[in-house]
Amino acid sequence: MDKIDRKILDHIQRNGRDSYAKIGESVGLSVSAINDRIKRLVATGAIRHWSAVVDPAIAGRTLLAYVSVQLERPEHDKGFVAAVAGLGAVQECHHVTGDWSYLLKIRVADTAALERLIVDWIKTLPGVVRTQTVIALSSTKETHVLQCSA
């Protein structure tokens, strides 16, 4: 991946619906060159997928929480990860260092929905020993954009 590829990635993360002509104009390439580069970036996995960024409030998911989960033994990891992958409210699942096994980013409608998710689903998964939940009161910065160029 070269400097121009990184500029293309920066551009399309912020303006994914721009035409190839507009992307090309911003990085100094023709439409056909942009088309070729984007196809290559998709084929190599640099671009995982295309999507829209939805406002959580409009979607009715105003509560943002981070849940740390401790598993009893590493043998439970695979089952836990598979189960969490099926929970739509879990936006992210990270295997972490320290006292916890996993850190989950969760978006739900309200505290009642969060309680149901934790009590009825997460804490019932095999190997879950304990959880700790932190609720975000507000967010001053939240982005999906990964800075690719320096």
Side-chain angles (χ1 to χ4, degrees), residues 85-150:
L87 298 174
V90 177
Q91 287 191 295
E92 298 176 12
C93 175
H94 305 278
H95 192 209
V96 296
T97 62
D99 294 335
W100 300 97
S101 306
Y102 289 90
L103 176 64
L104 308 178
K105 177 182 177 182
I106 296 175
R107 280 206 185 269
V108 290
D110 53 30
T111 55
L114 179 62
E115 181 180 21
R116 282 191 305 276
L117 180 68
I118 293 170
V119 172
D120 297 343
W121 288 95
I122 295 171
K123 285 189 173 185
T124 64
L125 294 173
V128 173
V129 176
R130 67 185 179 121
T131 64
Q132 179 178 341
T133 303
V134 175
I135 295 175
L137 299 175
S138 65
S139 299
T140 56
K141 180 180 180 181
E142 186 174 9
T143 183
H144 66 284
V145 175
L146 177 66
Q147 184 178 358
C148 296
S149 61

Side-chain angles (χ1 to χ4, degrees), residues 25-127:
E25 186 180 300
S26 76
V27 300
L29 292 177
S30 68
V31 172
S32 61
I34 292 296
N35 182 42
D36 290 343
R37 283 181 179 257
I38 289 178
K39 280 182 182 177
R40 186 173 32 81
L41 290 167
V42 170
T44 62
I47 298 173
R48 291 185 187 173
H49 67 275
W50 299 89
S51 65
V53 178
V54 177
D55 184 325
I58 291 174
R61 302 293 183 257
T62 55
L63 186 103
L64 169 60
Y66 295 91
V67 178
S68 297
V69 179
Q70 184 180 37
L71 298 182
E72 185 178 21
R73 293 185 314 275
E75 298 86 63
H76 296 291
D77 285 6
K78 207 178 254 187
F80 176 80
V81 169
V84 167
L87 298 174
V90 177
Q91 287 191 295
E92 298 176 12
C93 175
H94 305 278
H95 192 209
V96 296
T97 62
D99 294 335
W100 300 97
S101 306
Y102 289 90
L103 176 64
L104 308 178
K105 177 182 177 182
I106 296 175
R107 280 206 185 269
V108 290
D110 53 30
T111 55
L114 179 62
E115 181 180 21
R116 282 191 305 276
L117 180 68
I118 293 170
V119 172
D120 297 343
W121 288 95
I122 295 171
K123 285 189 173 185
T124 64
L125 294 173

